[in-house]
């Protein structure tokens, strides 16, 4: 095997995701998993679960992860990369601990981990690292040999993530009427998080003013908007906006909300808008409900033509990007010089999360970082 296609020291890839219910009976137990430790009554969870019940109690995320698994395996095989791919979730079956246990029984000892979150934040990075530490602790308590787990770097600016987003925007613009297309605004959306969580996202040296979370999203949005301008000859106005706020009203979260932004666009005479969910790898429930249902209904109420561009999902270019990230990290682990792909202005992210990166709300061990208790 050529050095460029050598996955060593890795003997497996783990796709680590959020998870979601796959039927009405799963909804409340799933939400109990998500909110464990917060003391939220079951009746309140039933109210929250109404978004899922509108779609038969099924979140699209697990189906999209199965499609991504297939895409990864197809890409690896076509590239001659003999590496098994597993899948585990944070909040629903297949559970992370069960998957790691299976991997250990299969003899996997050095595992690369891809999370379905492209950006730095507590919930999008460190919390997954905490989940990995919890799973390793469970295996340790069972007397099983512990594998080494290495989380692949953030990929928000990898060409294999950005290019499908660009094409999704172009397709959405093309679907607008000729009379409004040229003046359409691009509303880049991502999950709102508390201001305090945003400010402390990424390495400590960059904390404050939205931290790495906001900087990375802005860089991706700018890169996509510039690519759309270059390919269409039209510089569409754009803005980074937020969705899916879920916290207490008195706690400041990132704004503006997508629905408020659509009202502002309408009030200022914008002829149309394209909602671009750059914060989501695939069509989560937040995309189906908050954008396709709620925000689209708001646009219809305003009489504002709107389209929602596609998420990256299982696009073959994204699968190839994952292979690139894996081989890049493998080469780094072997001490071999390698090319690290990144668009925009921020450059490639760190491989190993430093101490103080996306700090925890409480003191909790996290794997795959400089502060990991597992070597």
């Amino acid at each position: 095997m050529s050095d460029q296609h050598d996955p060593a020291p890795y003997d497996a890839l783990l796709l680590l995701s959020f998870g979601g219910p796959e039927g009405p009976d799963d909804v409340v137990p799933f939400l109990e998993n998500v909110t464990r430790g917060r003391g939220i009554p079951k009746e309140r969870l039933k109210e929250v679960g109404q978004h899922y019940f509108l779609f038969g109690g099924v979140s699209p995320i697990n189906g999209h992860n199965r499609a991504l698994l297939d895409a990864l395996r197809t890409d690896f095989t076509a590239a001659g990369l003999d590496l098994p791919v597993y899948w585990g979730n944070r909040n629903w079956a297949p559970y992370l601990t069960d998957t790691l246990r299976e991997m250990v029984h299969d003899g996997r000892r050095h595992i690369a981990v891809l999370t379905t979150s492209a950006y730095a934040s507590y919930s999008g990075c460190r919390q997954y690292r905490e989940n990995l530490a919890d799973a390793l602790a469970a295996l340790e308590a069972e007397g099983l040999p512990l594998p080494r787990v290495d989380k692949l770097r953030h990929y928000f600016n990898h060409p294999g993530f950005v290019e499908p987003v660009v094409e999704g925007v172009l397709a959405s613009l093309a679907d607008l009427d000729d009379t409004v297309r040229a003046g359409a605004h691009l509303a880049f959306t991502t999950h709102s998080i508390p201001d305090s969580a945003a400010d402390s996202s990424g390495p400590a040296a960059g904390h404050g003013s939205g931290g790495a979370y906001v900087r990375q999203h802005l860089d991706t949005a700018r890169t996509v908007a510039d690519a759309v301008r270059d390919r269409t000859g039209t510089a569409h106005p754009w803005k980074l906006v937020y969705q899916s706020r879920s916290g207490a009203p008195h706690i400041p979260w990132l704004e503006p909300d997508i629905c408020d932004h659509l009202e502002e666009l309408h009030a200022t005479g914008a002829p149309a808008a394209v909602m671009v969910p750059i914060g989501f790898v695939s069509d989560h429930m937040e995309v189906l409900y908050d954008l396709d249902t709620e925000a689209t209904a708001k646009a219809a109420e305003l009489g504002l033509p709107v389209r929602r561009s596609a998420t990256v999902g299982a696009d073959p270019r994204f699968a190839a990007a994952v292979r690139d990230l894996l081989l890049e990290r493998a080469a780094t682990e072997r001490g071999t010089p390698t090319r690290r792909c990144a668009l925009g202005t921020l450059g490639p992210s760190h491989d190993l999360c430093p101490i103080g990166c996306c700090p925890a709300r409480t003191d909790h061990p996290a794997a795959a970082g400089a502060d990991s208790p597992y070597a």
Side-chain angles (χ1 to χ4, degrees):
M1 179 179 294
S2 71
D3 191 62
Q4 287 185 330
H5 294 85
D6 185 1
Y10 298 112
D11 54 18
L13 174 69
L14 169 62
L15 174 65
L16 177 54
S17 193
F18 191 82
E22 301 202 77
D25 293 341
D26 296 345
V27 173
V28 172
F30 162 74
L31 292 174
E32 288 175 331
N33 288 342
V34 174
T35 61
R36 181 164 284 114
R38 302 182 199 173
I40 300 177
K42 183 172 287 190
E43 290 306 311
R44 173 56 182 154
L45 294 180
K46 289 179 180 178
E47 294 176 15
V48 174
Q50 290 306 311
H51 294 177
Y52 291 94
F53 292 129
L54 288 174
F55 298 90
V58 179
S59 168
I61 190 171
N62 280 352
H64 283 286
N65 282 330
R66 292 186 182 99
L68 180 55
L69 276 176
D70 289 343
L72 291 170
R73 289 165 177 160
T74 297
D75 177 86
F76 284 13
T77 298
L81 188 62
D82 184 18
L83 196 76
V85 185
Y86 296 76
W87 168 36
N89 285 327
R90 174 191 292 176
N91 297 301
W92 201 248
Y95 288 103
L96 169 60
T97 300
D98 295 336
T99 300
L100 269 185
R101 184 184 299 110
E102 176 189 358
M103 297 177 82
V104 168
H105 285 310
D106 288 348
R108 313 304 173 192
R109 295 295 182 267
H110 201 154
I111 300 165
V113 181
L114 175 82
T115 62
T116 53
S117 175
Y119 302 86
S121 69
Y122 172 78
S123 58
C125 184
R126 183 175 177 99
Q127 192 169 13
Y128 281 110
R129 294 176 47 226
E130 293 179 355
N131 300 146
L132 285 166
D134 289 342
L136 290 171
L139 299 188
E140 187 174 37
E142 296 171 12
L144 293 174
L146 296 187
R148 174 173 166 176
V149 293
D150 291 337
K151 180 181 174 293
L152 301 180
R153 68 176 171 92
H154 301 302
Y155 47 84
F156 64 93
N157 57 2
H158 193 286
F161 180 78
V162 173
E163 182 58 29
V165 175
V166 172
E167 289 201 358
V169 175
L170 293 173
S172 293
L173 287 169
D175 194 47
L176 287 169
D177 190 89
D178 294 348
T179 59
V180 299
R181 183 181 304 126
H185 286 234
L186 307 181
F188 292 95
T189 76
T190 190
H191 208 300
S192 183
I193 61 175
D195 286 4
S196 58
D199 290 347
S200 61
S201 59
H207 286 178
S209 301
Y213 187 75
V214 171
R215 284 195 300 276
Q216 290 172 358
H217 280 87
L218 284 172
D219 200 52
T220 300
R222 185 178 299 107
T223 301
V224 172
D226 288 350
V228 169
R229 178 202 61 211
D230 292 344
R231 298 186 199 186
T232 64
T234 300
H236 291 272
W238 64 270
K239 188 169 186 175
L240 176 63
V241 300
Y242 302 92
Q243 60 175 91
S244 312
R245 188 194 198 284
S246 60
H250 69 281
I251 298 176
W253 281 51
L254 294 174
E255 296 178 337
D257 177 78
I258 177 61
C259 289
D260 294 339
H261 180 59
L262 293 176
E263 288 186 342
E264 179 184 357
L265 289 180
H266 174 67
T268 55
V274 173
M275 298 182 291
V276 190
I278 57 169
F280 303 88
V281 173
S282 62
D283 287 6
H284 297 194
M285 182 57 67
E286 287 88 345
V287 176
L288 287 191
Y289 183 80
D290 296 334
L291 295 185
D292 293 355
T293 304
E294 191 173 52
T296 299
K298 170 59 70 174
E301 172 192 320
L302 296 169
L304 178 69
V306 67
R307 298 290 185 273
R308 195 269 288 180
S309 67
T311 52
V312 172
D315 190 287
R317 289 164 295 188
F318 181 50
V322 174
R323 169 167 47 87
D324 181 63
L325 291 167
L326 169 70
L327 294 174
E328 165 201 292
R329 181 64 182 273
T332 299
E333 291 297 311
R334 296 192 307 269
T336 304
T338 185
R339 182 176 64 96
R340 298 165 64 86
C341 293
L343 300 175
T345 63
L346 297 181
S349 295
H350 51 261
D351 284 330
L352 195 68
C353 291
I355 294 173
C357 190
C358 302
R361 304 163 188 165
T362 57
D363 187 18
H364 195 109
D371 55 354
S372 172
Y374 301 100

